[in-house]
């Protein structure tokens, strides 16, 4: 069941006022969403990378042409939305999709029961020649900003990814409720990144994004995601050194790493149970 933007904001702001970090989780399967809700998650986000992640592929597959990203989210929504009882579920929307009339698609997302949106896949992930070519040929980040603005007009909760202060300003001006400062592909695990920026560099980047966004809207919420912030201790380190950071969004860090470890350890435990009985 969709939850109103006003109720979501009231809940998240209470978290902040209580000194409790906002925690969002990506869900690539119904059982992931169900388990996250049992753990008291604040937001659940469905986007196409979740499908690839839970299929054993790296999350970056969601940025590549391995399917219709927006249709994948619709299909995943049919799996996840019925099992989530009281937590807002956001849809990762590819705002640059040339085969969607975006206002119509956003209304479809809302009618399905999604409470909000995030911009994913996102051009913001790309740099250099690839980013330049996308921007120059009609697939720029500005379309994602437009999508967030249109979602805001439909009174959907909006929580876009931003990678730098410029994008933070653009999304804040579009009326975004919460920005997710993206630190890159999550590290660790069997399919995570092996190289990322240091945590202290993440802190500098988050601070720059926060400062830029707060100049536009002092009430905007800021959370972080990705890169080396993959364990609770990493988040604790960042939160303790960053003012005005309201929480964390974990996808691989909450869903994939937990799945990898739990299944591996369960198999080992079953194997060891036989050894202790003299088998």
């Amino acid at each position: 069941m969709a939850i109103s933007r006003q109720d979501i904001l009231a809940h998240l702001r209470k978290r902040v006022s209580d000194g409790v970090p906002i925690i969002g989780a990506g869900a690539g399967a119904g059982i992931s969403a169900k388990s996250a809700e049992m753990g008291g998650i604040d937001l659940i986000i469905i986007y196409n990378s979740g499908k690839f992640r839970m299929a054993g592929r790296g999350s970056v597959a969601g940025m590549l042409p391995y399917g219709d990203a927006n249709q994948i989210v619709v299909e995943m929504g049919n799996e996840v939305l019925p099992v989530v009882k009281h937590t807002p579920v956001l849809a990762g929307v590819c705002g640059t999709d040339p085969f969607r009339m975006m206002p119509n698609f956003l209304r479809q997302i809302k009618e399905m029961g999604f409470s909000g949106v995030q911009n994913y896949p996102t051009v913001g992930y790309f740099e250099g020649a690839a980013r330049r070519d996308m921007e120059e040929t009609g697939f720029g980040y500005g379309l994602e900003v437009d999508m967030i603005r249109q979602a805001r007009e439909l009174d959907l909760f909006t929580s876009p990814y931003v990678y730098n202060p410029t994008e933070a300003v653009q999304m804040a001006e579009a009326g975004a409720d919460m920005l997710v400062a993206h630190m890159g592909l999550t590290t660790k695990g069997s399919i995570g990144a092996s190289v990322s920026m240091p945590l202290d560099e993440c802190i500098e980047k988050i601070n720059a994004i926060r400062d830029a966004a707060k100049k536009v809207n002092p009430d905007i919420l800021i959370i972080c995601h990705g890169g080396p912030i993959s364990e609770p201790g990493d988040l604790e380190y960042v939160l303790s050194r960053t003012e005005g950071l309201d929480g964390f969004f974990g996808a691989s860090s909450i869903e994939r790493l937990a799945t990898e470890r739990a299944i591996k350890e369960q198999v080992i435990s079953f194997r060891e149970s036989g050894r202790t009985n003299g088998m």
Side-chain angles (χ1 to χ4, degrees), residues 187-234:
T187 59
K188 301 180 183 176
S190 64
I191 52 175
S194 58
V195 177
S196 68
M197 71 180 80
L199 281 172
D200 287 333
E201 188 174 334
C202 288
I203 291 169
E204 293 179 8
K205 189 173 180 180
I206 292 166
N207 285 339
I209 287 171
R210 175 207 60 207
D211 290 346
K214 293 281 189 180
K215 287 179 181 177
V216 177
N217 177 10
D219 295 325
I220 198 167
L221 296 165
I222 309 290
I223 65 174
C224 61
H225 167 75
I229 314 171
S230 57
E231 303 286 356
D234 301 326

Side-chain angles (χ1 to χ4, degrees), residues 8-238:
I8 296 171
L9 283 169
H11 170 76
L12 298 182
R13 286 174 177 153
K14 187 175 189 308
R15 285 284 199 224
V16 174
S17 66
D18 289 345
V20 179
I22 296 165
I23 305 295
I31 190 65
S32 300
K34 199 170 186 177
S35 300
E37 184 170 61
M38 290 170 63
I41 204 74
D42 296 305
L43 299 164
I44 294 170
I45 301 91
I46 300 176
Y47 54 108
N48 72 325
S49 275
K51 174 181 179 179
F52 298 112
R53 181 167 56 245
M54 296 308 286
R57 274 72 176 181
S59 296
V60 73
M63 296 288 186
L64 298 170
Y66 302 146
D68 180 338
N70 284 328
Q71 182 58 32
I72 288 171
V73 167
V74 169
E75 293 167 0
M76 291 172 69
N78 290 330
E79 175 181 344
V80 171
L81 288 167
V83 301
V84 175
K85 303 305 180 185
H86 55 260
T87 306
V89 180
L90 312 186
V93 175
C94 179
T96 58
D97 186 343
F99 301 107
R100 292 290 189 288
M101 296 181 68
M102 194 51 60
N104 294 346
F105 183 65
L106 290 173
R107 281 191 287 270
Q108 177 188 351
I109 288 294
K110 187 172 185 178
E111 289 170 2
M112 283 184 66
F114 284 100
S115 301
V117 299
Q118 186 176 56
N119 57 325
Y120 194 91
T122 172
V123 172
Y125 182 80
F126 295 90
E127 298 178 349
R131 176 68 177 268
R132 184 190 66 238
D133 290 348
M134 291 175 186
E135 295 285 350
E136 291 181 353
T137 54
F139 300 98
Y141 190 81
L143 292 177
E144 299 176 29
V145 176
D146 290 342
M147 182 273 290
I148 293 296
R149 183 179 293 107
Q150 291 164 2
R152 177 69 176 80
E153 290 170 356
L154 290 172
D155 209 28
L156 286 160
F157 180 80
T158 52
S159 178
Y161 278 137
V162 297
Y163 291 79
N164 55 57
T166 299
E167 293 170 0
V169 168
Q170 292 173 329
M171 286 300 190
E173 289 177 343
D177 297 301
M178 181 171 75
L179 300 185
V180 185
H182 202 304
M183 298 295 109
L185 191 63
T186 301
T187 59
K188 301 180 183 176
S190 64
I191 52 175
S194 58
V195 177
S196 68
M197 71 180 80
L199 281 172
D200 287 333
E201 188 174 334
C202 288
I203 291 169
E204 293 179 8
K205 189 173 180 180
I206 292 166
N207 285 339
I209 287 171
R210 175 207 60 207
D211 290 346
K214 293 281 189 180
K215 287 179 181 177
V216 177
N217 177 10
D219 295 325
I220 198 167
L221 296 165
I222 309 290
I223 65 174
C224 61
H225 167 75
I229 314 171
S230 57
E231 303 286 356
D234 301 326
L235 178 61
E236 183 178 3
Y237 182 89
V238 172

